[in-house]
Amino acid sequence: MSPKQVGIVFCLAFVTLEAFQAVYLGSTFQSVNPFLVGAWVFGISVCGCTLATLLVRPNEILASIRAWKTVVALNLFAALTWTSYFAAVQLIEPAVVFTIFSGMVPLGTLMGAKFGLPEAASPAPRASQIGHVTILISLLLLAAITMLGYSGFVRGGLINALAGIGLSAISGGCTAFVIPYSVRLNAKGVGPLAQFGLRFVLYALIAFAAFQFGLDDKPYETPSDELTLIVLVGLAVIAFPLYLVQKAVPLVSASTIAAITALGPAMVFLLQLFDGRTHYSALTMTGLSIYMAGALLAVLGTIMPKAQSRKSAKEFLEPAPAHGDRVKNAKFSGP
């Protein structure tokens, strides 16, 4: 496979594991403190990946020190992403959380381009523009469905619904900025392993402090064996997919990653039906269908122009037929 194809496979694996994560965490965090889980999962990731980088590629640690402003920006956006996401999946239907999160990634990437992030810039063909507008419409529709109480799950009333929607949007929007900053850091010589360790330092510290202060504590303490299992699953469905998308960063463009990320919510909807915590909502399914149509248009609009441009370049580079060939192949018309 070509590097681009490998990058796309990494992105698809990321979306699949993220879908399972959205449903699993939405159920688990009803009884377990998310900050405790986050502190363990990301603390292990930070320590393990940073130590491995020091042993194998110490020059990347030096490169990250030289690019400290980008590392700080990554940490800020990553911390906002996961603090918001872990809170949102406890409040509203996981499929809605993941759809708003996923949709805000390509929309946020467009915002990043508007704010002057060169890594976020990409061609904007008509199909892609229509796709992004459709995504925005679907997100507004899902937000309205959730606020009116017609989605599969809301933990509480209107206030919790609004909070869940807002936190989902913040999480996806921050992820949209994580991607181009990761591209920038990669260009400065900091690879996926080092980035994976360094970008979660702030969140791991915030999660540990929040747990110590008793934020979002649950009524009873989680048994150690149950917590161990949750952390192991968390490493598989939180840390590992993030590492996969980090591996994709140097292989495909930020706009391609954002577009493929937008394809996951339908899988979340199917998985949550087996979870049993949410009820089937025809209106949520309608919103997801509109969203998927927009996401597919956005993906095709992102990928197809590049294939067309390669075709045009090939045609341009091919030598024109000789004058004699044109005369030989010409057909007379008329009397």
Side-chain angles (χ1 to χ4, degrees):
M1 288 193 295
S2 68
K4 182 178 178 180
Q5 289 172 327
V6 172
I8 290 173
V9 169
F10 284 151
C11 290
L12 291 173
F14 162 76
V15 168
T16 303
L17 291 171
E18 283 277 290
F20 178 81
Q21 172 220 111
V23 178
Y24 173 77
L25 294 182
S27 177
T28 300
F29 288 164
Q30 300 297 315
S31 57
V32 180
N33 190 321
F35 291 113
L36 174 60
V37 177
W40 272 107
V41 170
F42 289 111
I44 291 171
S45 300
V46 168
C47 294
C49 292
T50 304
L51 179 61
T53 304
L54 278 169
L55 293 174
V56 179
R57 302 186 185 97
N59 59 307
E60 293 188 10
I61 299 296
L62 295 176
S64 68
I65 293 172
R66 289 192 293 268
W68 67 270
K69 291 182 180 179
T70 305
V71 174
V72 169
L74 266 177
N75 271 265
L76 289 171
F77 284 118
L80 283 170
T81 292
W82 288 100
T83 302
S84 303
Y85 185 83
F86 284 164
V89 293
Q90 300 179 71
L91 298 175
I92 61 175
E93 183 176 355
V96 174
V97 173
F98 197 69
T99 303
I100 295 175
F101 165 82
S102 299
M104 284 301 298
V105 174
L107 295 179
T109 302
L110 294 179
M111 290 172 55
K114 294 290 184 184
F115 286 136
L117 280 174
E119 296 87 356
S122 61
R126 188 170 184 81
S128 181
Q129 292 175 353
I130 295 172
H132 285 100
V133 171
T134 306
I135 287 174
L136 178 59
I137 292 171
S138 71
L139 299 191
L140 294 174
L141 176 62
L142 286 168
I145 290 167
T146 302
M147 288 186 293
L148 293 172
Y150 293 118
S151 66
F153 168 75
V154 175
R155 185 185 176 186
L158 179 61
I159 299 300
N160 280 356
L162 285 169
I165 292 165
L167 290 167
S168 302
I170 291 171
S171 180
C174 289
T175 299
F177 283 85
V178 165
I179 294 171
Y181 276 114
S182 294
V183 173
R184 179 178 300 183
L185 199 57
N186 185 80
K188 293 182 179 181
V190 184
L193 186 66
Q195 284 201 39
F196 191 70
L198 295 172
R199 69 194 262 196
F200 296 117
V201 172
L202 179 60
Y203 177 75
L205 293 174
I206 289 174
F208 179 75
F211 170 70
Q212 290 297 315
F213 282 108
L215 295 181
D216 205 4
D217 264 349
K218 298 303 186 285
Y220 56 88
E221 186 176 349
T222 307
S224 58
D225 56 341
E226 184 180 337
L227 178 61
T228 301
L229 177 61
I230 291 170
V231 170
L232 290 174
V233 174
L235 287 169
V237 301
I238 300 173
F240 183 61
L242 289 173
Y243 179 69
L244 288 177
V245 79
Q246 191 68 61
K247 289 280 288 182
V249 164
L251 303 176
V252 293
S253 68
S255 57
T256 300
I257 294 173
I260 293 175
T261 301
L263 295 174
M267 194 176 301
V268 177
F269 187 80
L270 293 174
L271 288 173
Q272 74 181 15
L273 294 178
F274 293 97
D275 176 61
R277 187 173 66 99
T278 59
H279 300 290
Y280 173 79
S281 169
L283 286 174
T284 298
M285 189 65 213
T286 301
L288 283 178
S289 299
I290 296 171
Y291 171 85
M292 289 301 297
L296 286 171
L297 278 172
V299 170
L300 291 174
T302 302
I303 296 173
M304 292 303 291
K306 297 175 183 178
Q308 184 63 38
S309 65
R310 287 195 296 269
K311 180 181 177 183
S312 300
K314 182 180 178 182
E315 290 173 350
F316 179 79
L317 292 172
E318 285 178 350
H323 177 72
D325 292 336
R326 290 200 299 268
V327 173
K328 179 180 178 181
N329 294 325
K331 294 183 179 179
F332 284 98
S333 61

